[in-house]
Amino acid sequence: MINQHSDNLFNPQLKKTLLEGYKFGWFDWFCLWYPPGWLIIFNRHWQHYHQDPDGWNWLEYGLFLIPGGFYIALFIRWLRLGCRSPRSEIGEFDPNYQKAFRDEVIAPIIKYYFRGELHKIENLPQTGPMIVAMNHAGMCFPWDFLTLGYLLSKTRGWLVQPLAGVSLFDHPWIIWWLPPGWSKVMGGVRAEFNDFEAAIQERKILLYAPEGLRGPKKGWAKRYQLETFDLSFLQLSQRYQVPILPVICIGNENLHPWTLNIKKLQKLLNLPFLPISPLIPLFILFPSMGVWAMRSRLRYFIQPLHTAELKESKTERAEAYKKAQQLREKLQYEINQL
């Protein structure tokens, strides 16, 4: 599936660079085991394949690694760019770059750090399209999504795209942290109904969190307790005859443990959630740890395919809500057993 797109998506310069590949070297291993360095890995990989004059440089990377150094690096970069923000380029989904990032960066992180595992593979279809619905949690960078996407791609060769919160596309912090358009180039679909529907019409394989942001922001006290499911994925599943593949993740609640969400402060800063935990002093000293998460063992249990069957009536929304919560209760039972 990836090869069908490869000839059209890289410009000649990028194709040439792709052949050389990115080597996960000693400095990357150091960054992997030194949490303030994770953001360096992401940006260095991007700069290997793209010209990015507005991106971070080596002096600024070095400052990431010392307490409070990120703030100095941010100020230096702002001055270097002429006292402006990095250019917000609108990129398109690039399957080749997603594959390169997956194989060269995500693979070692998942193998040695998150230790991702797929279970009940006999329930995994051979091909798509489908909506892969997972209990998204952790109140941190969406490593449970990235890990599942990697494992599905590795096992079936699928081209997987996640529905991602709007803040991952255009929040000012993301624009400074990550390369321009990174979320979209990596395949992210904005978690808005119109974008979701358009992606389903294109018969894609989509990663989806039925709880929405209620899942990751519920906090440590409600770990492994599923929140109310949204209706849209069931309605779109029936409308376009796209099956739902439920997946249960065990281990994602440990990605950022002991958290609670301060809703008023979260809204004030226009963030999807604001995790407050004993780790917060580290994040204040090292803001580059924003893409890091605690080491965990992420286990994914594939459930049988689910087909939405909604009655055609004036109460379709009520019927969809009822079916969505029935699926939630079924998955909650399986989570409790696990």
Side-chain angles (χ1 to χ4, degrees), residues 86-101:
R87 293 183 179 88
S88 299
E89 299 176 6
I90 301 176
E92 296 299 326
F93 172 40
D94 189 334
N96 267 323
Y97 183 71
Q98 185 200 61
K99 182 178 185 298
F101 187 81

Side-chain angles (χ1 to χ4, degrees), residues 72-127:
I72 302 172
L74 187 66
F75 182 65
I76 291 173
R77 186 183 178 194
W78 180 69
L79 290 177
R80 178 166 57 85
L81 297 182
C83 304
R84 61 169 173 82
S85 296
R87 293 183 179 88
S88 299
E89 299 176 6
I90 301 176
E92 296 299 326
F93 172 40
D94 189 334
N96 267 323
Y97 183 71
Q98 185 200 61
K99 182 178 185 298
F101 187 81
R102 183 188 76 205
D103 295 343
E104 296 164 358
V105 172
I106 296 293
I109 291 176
I110 289 172
K111 181 178 180 181
Y112 296 103
Y113 198 86
F114 293 124
R115 298 168 290 171
E117 303 170 1
L118 276 186
H119 296 265
K120 299 188 178 180
I121 298 180
E122 64 273 12
N123 291 327
L124 196 60
Q126 291 297 324
T127 186

Side-chain angles (χ1 to χ4, degrees), residues 145-333:
F145 258 35
L146 287 175
T147 300
L148 179 57
Y150 166 80
L151 293 173
L152 293 176
S153 299
K154 180 182 177 183
T155 304
R156 286 287 188 262
W158 291 348
L159 194 63
V160 181
Q161 294 183 243
L163 257 74
V166 174
S167 61
L168 279 173
F169 293 89
D170 48 26
H171 195 280
W173 290 10
I174 295 296
I175 292 171
W176 280 101
W177 265 346
L178 294 170
W182 187 86
S183 296
K184 189 169 184 180
V185 172
M186 284 292 295
V189 176
R190 293 175 74 95
E192 296 178 329
F193 186 84
N194 290 339
D195 294 72
F196 188 13
E197 183 172 24
I200 287 182
Q201 286 178 303
E202 293 175 16
R203 314 296 288 176
K204 296 177 181 288
I205 297 175
L206 298 172
L207 283 184
Y208 175 74
E211 301 165 273
L213 285 173
R214 293 183 297 277
K217 75 179 184 181
K218 64 178 179 283
W220 180 249
K222 295 183 177 180
R223 58 193 180 278
Y224 295 117
Q225 298 177 32
L226 296 179
E227 297 289 310
T228 302
F229 277 13
D230 289 329
L231 317 180
S232 57
F233 76 113
L234 279 175
Q235 294 170 320
L236 293 175
S237 170
Q238 175 172 279
R239 185 178 306 168
Y240 296 101
Q241 295 300 296
V242 174
I244 297 165
L245 181 68
V247 176
I248 291 170
C249 180
I250 301 296
N252 55 356
E253 298 283 9
N254 297 323
L255 293 171
H256 191 162
W258 317 301
T259 53
L260 56 92
N261 186 44
I262 307 297
K263 294 182 179 179
K264 290 185 178 179
L265 192 55
Q266 164 218 324
K267 292 179 180 179
L268 181 65
L269 296 174
N270 192 28
L271 292 170
F273 46 79
L274 183 63
I276 303 299
S277 78
L279 294 171
I280 283 303
L282 280 175
F283 285 100
I284 293 173
L285 287 174
F286 297 98
S288 59
M289 287 175 60
V291 297
W292 172 82
M294 289 281 281
R295 190 167 186 252
S296 183
R297 181 185 172 203
L298 297 177
R299 294 179 294 151
Y300 298 89
F301 295 84
I302 312 297
Q303 306 299 303
L305 272 179
H306 178 85
T307 303
E309 296 180 1
L310 305 178
K311 298 175 183 177
E312 295 290 341
S313 69
K314 293 181 181 180
T315 60
E316 180 183 340
R317 183 173 177 82
E319 175 73 10
Y321 180 84
K322 178 182 176 182
K323 294 289 186 181
Q325 304 327 307
Q326 287 175 349
L327 178 59
R328 182 187 66 82
E329 291 169 4
K330 180 180 178 181
L331 295 181
Q332 183 67 69
Y333 175 81

Side-chain angles (χ1 to χ4, degrees), residues 4-74:
Q4 294 173 1
H5 300 80
S6 60
D7 292 337
N8 302 321
L9 292 164
F10 274 110
N11 60 43
Q13 181 180 359
L14 214 53
K15 280 186 181 179
K16 183 178 179 181
T17 309
L18 180 67
L19 296 176
E20 298 170 2
Y22 178 88
K23 304 298 182 183
F24 205 86
W26 70 266
F27 183 69
D28 299 291
W29 287 110
F30 167 76
C31 289
L32 174 59
W33 297 108
Y34 185 63
W38 282 42
L39 193 65
I40 298 175
I41 300 176
F42 278 42
N43 282 278
R44 266 171 39 87
H45 188 270
W46 176 270
Q47 290 165 347
H48 181 79
Y49 290 112
H50 302 84
Q51 291 184 355
D52 186 12
D54 282 8
W56 301 101
N57 62 29
W58 274 105
L59 169 63
E60 293 151 1
Y61 286 150
L63 290 168
F64 284 14
L65 306 177
I66 62 175
F70 182 87
Y71 303 104
I72 302 172
L74 187 66

